[in-house]
Amino acid sequence: MSTLNADPAELARFNALAERWWDEDSEFRPLHRINPHRLDWIDALAGLRGKQVLDVGCGGGILAESMARRGARVDGIDMAAMPLRIARAHAERVGEANVAYADSSAEDWAQHHAGRYDVVTCMEMLEHVPDPAAVVAACARLARPGGWVFFSTINRNPLSYLVAIVGAERVLRLLPRGTHTYSRLIRPAELRGMATRAGLSLHEQRGLGYNPLTQRFRLHRFMGIGYLLAMRAGASA
């Protein structure tokens, strides 16, 4: 049975923008600029070479393809058809054979691939679904015992509203207006709680910062706005 843990308006938005996914000067410029930082962090902790990896909510494949270039065997899943088409076309164009894409929710994928993956990533996706806890639980089921599960999302507080929504969408126009809904943002304690209930344990956490003067991102200790969690799956996950 298919699990539709998705907002049709969100899927429509990403489908409409899909053709520009790999344009580094488009609405996806922030994803291109944060990707080296999150990729290096994931690789440093999990060691991607030779690992079986799943990217949940892969979109047009920026992270999935970059992990494949690091030597991982990567599956990418998403529920938006047009970004998946772009991801497949780009991988074929650049000759990246170690990545494959499928139209699926995390919950559906977990029904047939539980315990398969050394590394599961779910980046910039949880704030776009109606039931993030269900996605977190599915990611935990997909990881093998002792495997890694990585999440990234945006904190919910007045500062994140000013920076991630007012600043990024309305002032700097780094993202299309309406990309994020404040009520769907997730506090770190909330996400850690979802992960703990799913059988995951916290290994490391980082904040994501942006300097509007240099237009550069970096990982640091402050988690008041964007943040990333590195979790480990237990023997019972």
Side-chain angles (χ1 to χ4, degrees):
M1 180 180 295
S2 177
T3 302
L4 183 60
N5 181 13
D7 182 337
E10 295 276 12
L11 295 179
R13 179 181 298 112
F14 288 118
N15 279 328
L17 295 171
E19 293 290 344
R20 299 193 288 277
W21 211 284
W22 284 90
D23 180 354
E24 296 187 22
D25 294 319
S26 73
E27 298 89 339
F28 296 101
R29 179 176 61 180
L31 284 183
H32 287 278
R33 293 194 175 185
I34 67 175
N35 193 61
H37 302 286
R38 61 185 185 178
L39 174 65
D40 287 345
W41 186 64
I42 293 167
D43 198 9
L45 290 174
L48 289 169
R49 182 165 297 279
K51 298 294 175 60
Q52 189 71 43
V53 178
L54 176 69
D55 187 21
V56 175
C58 64
I62 295 171
L63 176 61
E65 194 173 294
S66 66
M67 291 192 292
R69 288 196 294 270
R70 292 285 176 98
R73 301 178 302 277
V74 183
D75 293 330
I77 60 172
D78 205 290
M79 297 182 71
M82 291 301 292
L84 284 174
R85 185 178 68 80
I86 295 298
R88 293 186 182 104
H90 191 274
E92 182 176 355
R93 185 163 63 251
V94 301
E96 183 50 71
N98 286 329
V99 59
Y101 296 103
D103 182 348
S104 179
S105 68
E107 297 93 324
D108 286 346
W109 201 252
Q111 291 182 18
H112 304 288
H113 302 87
R116 176 175 178 177
Y117 296 96
D118 303 299
V119 179
V120 178
T121 60
C122 181
M123 317 298 274
E124 289 81 46
M125 182 265 201
L126 292 174
E127 69 271 23
H128 297 290
V129 299
D131 186 0
V135 177
V136 171
C139 289
R141 292 196 301 273
L142 285 156
R144 66 168 179 80
W148 291 88
V149 183
F150 294 89
F151 300 107
S152 71
T153 189
I154 301 174
N155 202 338
R156 188 178 73 256
N157 57 42
L159 178 61
S160 68
Y161 175 78
L162 288 173
V163 174
I165 295 180
V166 176
E169 297 183 17
R170 303 176 189 176
V171 178
L172 298 176
R173 297 185 180 179
L174 295 173
L175 299 168
R177 190 162 182 162
T179 296
H180 296 109
T181 300
Y182 180 73
S183 62
R184 284 187 172 173
L185 304 184
I186 305 169
R187 295 188 178 111
E190 294 170 343
L191 182 50
R192 289 192 297 264
M194 296 175 197
T196 298
R197 289 189 291 274
L200 301 173
S201 59
L202 179 67
H203 178 82
E204 189 171 298
Q205 57 188 16
R206 287 288 185 270
L208 177 66
Y210 176 72
N211 186 327
L213 297 178
T214 62
Q215 299 184 18
R216 291 182 179 178
F217 290 90
R218 67 186 180 96
L219 299 187
H220 54 194
R221 297 289 179 178
F222 178 65
M223 297 177 58
I225 307 172
Y227 65 94
L228 306 90
L229 302 183
M231 316 293 298
R232 301 299 298 270
S236 60

